Amino acid sequence: FLVPTLAYLQNRELGLTPSPGIAKDEMFEMLGWPDCYGLEEPPFLPITWEWEEFLDLFEATLDAGKVISGHASGITARELQAYVGMGAATDHETVESLDGLQKVRAGMKLFMREGSGCTNVAELSRVRTEHGVDSSILGFCADVASPEKLWRDGGVDQNIRVAIAHGI
């Protein structure tokens, strides 16, 4: 499992009273659990806004040799450099191929998603087909796929079909 950082961040990024979730100390504790693989989708805002608890959490994650899965929707080039520099290794929020190319060039692995509300594999396949990015840097996810979508279309298997249809 990954430490659910969004449960901690709920409403904090908006300057609102945090909703019930997990506390800062609990995130650090979970990071030490035997089956913990790293951090789940901490957005770039806590890092680029220099939230001390997240700077410390990222550092502890990297010191433990664990992964930081990214959540970099709407990130600027400068914010991207800070985010990757702090250890964010992946992103699954990318919707445009040039944005994906920028993230890959910054050192991230790109997860192309084909969920219920976000269908980006066709567009992001261009990162490989038009820009020649090594396919080992690309992956798939079915982020926020409804049970109906999974039953009707599939999950990652649908991503693969869409990628093949678009030249990968």
Side-chain angles (χ1 to χ4, degrees):
F1 79 96
L2 299 168
V3 175
T5 59
L6 294 176
Y8 174 79
L9 288 169
Q10 193 70 27
N11 293 338
R12 283 182 170 85
E13 293 172 292
L14 303 173
L16 302 172
T17 302
S19 61
I22 59 175
K24 175 179 79 169
D25 294 340
E26 291 172 318
M27 288 191 299
F28 282 92
E29 178 187 333
M30 282 186 255
L31 191 59
W33 291 356
D35 292 330
C36 180
Y37 184 63
L39 303 183
E40 176 190 27
E41 300 184 36
F44 68 93
L45 292 176
I47 297 303
T48 59
W49 292 354
E50 299 181 24
W51 290 12
E52 185 176 326
E53 64 268 38
F54 270 84
L55 295 174
D56 293 343
L57 187 60
F58 268 48
E59 188 172 325
T61 302
L62 296 175
D63 286 348
K66 298 184 179 189
V67 70
I68 300 168
S69 69
H71 190 94
S73 177
I75 197 167
T76 67
R78 185 179 174 113
E79 292 165 335
L80 175 62
Q81 293 302 315
Y83 195 44
V84 171
M86 281 300 296
T90 66
D91 184 58
H92 72 283
E93 293 290 329
T94 308
V95 297
E96 296 175 358
S97 61
L98 291 179
D99 186 35
L101 182 62
Q102 181 179 25
K103 289 174 182 174
V104 167
R105 287 180 174 165
M108 294 185 115
K109 291 189 177 196
L110 189 63
F111 290 127
M112 304 182 291
R113 65 183 167 182
E114 200 73 14
S116 292
C118 301
T119 54
N120 311 119
V121 173
E123 168 66 16
L124 295 178
S125 291
R126 296 174 55 208
V127 173
R128 169 73 179 136
T129 60
E130 293 180 18
H131 302 287
V133 167
D134 185 341
S135 59
S136 68
I137 297 171
L138 305 174
F140 300 108
C141 71
D143 190 37
V144 193
S146 70
E148 294 85 3
K149 184 259 184 222
L150 293 171
W151 175 256
R152 183 186 65 244
D153 303 325
V156 172
D157 57 328
Q158 182 199 20
N159 293 23
I160 293 169
R161 288 190 299 274
V162 172
I164 290 169
H166 287 87
I168 293 182

